[in-house]
Amino acid sequence: MLQVRFIIPLISLLFVGCGSVTTTSDSDYIEFTKPEQQEILIAINKARSVARDCNDGLGIVGPAKPLTWNIELYASAYEHSFDLAESNTFDHKGSGTHSDITGSNNGNASMFFERIEANGYTEYIALGENIAGGQSNIKEVMEAWLNSPDHCKNIMSDMFSEVGVAIVVKQDSDYKIYWTQNFGSKI
C-alpha cells in the first residue's frame, strides 16, 4: 500500500512569559491524569469550534472537527517535554543527549516525526507539533499558542484528527514548565 505523508514542520518557537509552579523538589515530571487530559482536550476542541484568523495570511479558518486523545501522540509529546526540561533546551529538534530517547537510540538529535513514529504512531497522513515554555496552566498555554500564527494554524488544521499533549516541570531549568502538543491523522 502506498503511504502518503504530509509533515507539517513547525519552525517558529514560542518564548512566552514565565509562570510559577510550586513543586516539592527541583525536578517533577508530571503525567497528566485522565481529568487533566480531558481538560486540555476540551480547551483544544473549544478553540477549534470557532472560526478564527490565525494571522498567518490565510484569513479566517475553521471551525475544525474535534480532536480525540491519542496515547501514542501523548507518549511522544511526553518524551520531548522531558528532553526539553532535562537538557534545558527549547527547540523542536531533540537535544541529542541521553534525555532525547529517540535521538539517543538513533545516534542523533531527534526530529518530531521520528519521536512520534518511535512511540508507535505510524501509517499517518499528517503530523504537527507545538511546543511552549513557561506557561503555568492550560489557559495560558492555549492563549500563547492561539496568538502565534504557526501554532494556531496547527491547532485549527482540519488535517488533524488526534492529539496528545504533555507537560514536564523542572524547577532548575530556564522555563521551568515545558509543554509539547503533538497532532496527527492516520491513513
Side-chain angles (χ1 to χ4, degrees):
M1 173 189 243
L2 178 64
Q3 290 185 12
V4 179
R5 295 183 182 203
F6 299 97
I7 299 174
I8 301 174
L10 186 54
I11 298 170
S12 66
L13 303 177
L14 187 60
F15 297 96
V16 180
C18 288
S20 63
V21 170
T22 304
T23 59
T24 57
S25 68
D26 282 346
S27 179
D28 285 336
Y29 301 107
I30 297 173
E31 184 169 332
F32 274 134
T33 64
K34 289 282 185 195
E36 291 164 331
Q37 289 175 2
Q38 189 66 25
E39 185 181 352
I40 188 72
L41 185 60
I42 288 168
I44 294 165
N45 285 331
K46 182 178 177 185
R48 289 172 62 88
S49 72
V50 298
R52 69 178 66 246
D53 186 347
C54 287
N55 296 309
D56 59 356
L58 299 177
I60 303 294
V61 295
K65 298 174 291 198
L67 300 176
T68 58
W69 191 265
N70 181 281
I71 192 67
E72 295 156 338
L73 292 172
Y74 167 77
S76 63
Y78 187 85
E79 178 183 328
H80 193 50
S81 287
F82 174 82
D83 179 35
L84 295 175
E86 191 65 24
S87 65
N88 198 27
T89 57
F90 193 80
D91 198 322
H92 287 279
K93 190 173 184 180
S95 68
T97 67
H98 71 282
S99 61
D100 180 6
I101 297 164
T102 298
S104 292
N105 289 341
N106 295 334
N108 60 21
S110 67
M111 302 299 291
F112 80 95
F113 62 90
E114 294 171 322
R115 292 186 297 272
I116 291 171
E117 290 172 354
N119 281 281
Y121 197 85
T122 58
E123 298 193 24
Y124 53 84
I125 57 172
L127 295 176
E129 178 176 84
N130 288 345
I131 61 173
Q135 296 78 11
S136 62
N137 59 55
I138 292 169
K139 182 178 186 252
E140 286 180 15
V141 78
M142 287 301 297
E143 285 175 3
W145 280 329
L146 290 171
N147 286 324
S148 167
D150 286 336
H151 295 90
C152 179
K153 187 164 64 173
N154 271 349
I155 290 169
M156 295 302 296
S157 176
D158 236 347
M159 290 178 58
F160 302 130
S161 60
E162 299 176 298
V163 69
V165 183
I167 178 176
V168 171
V169 176
K170 190 165 193 300
Q171 288 298 319
D172 63 350
S173 64
D174 289 345
Y175 290 96
K176 299 184 183 357
I177 304 168
Y178 298 83
W179 299 79
T180 303
Q181 184 180 51
N182 284 340
F183 301 92
S185 285
K186 292 198 174 186
I187 294 173

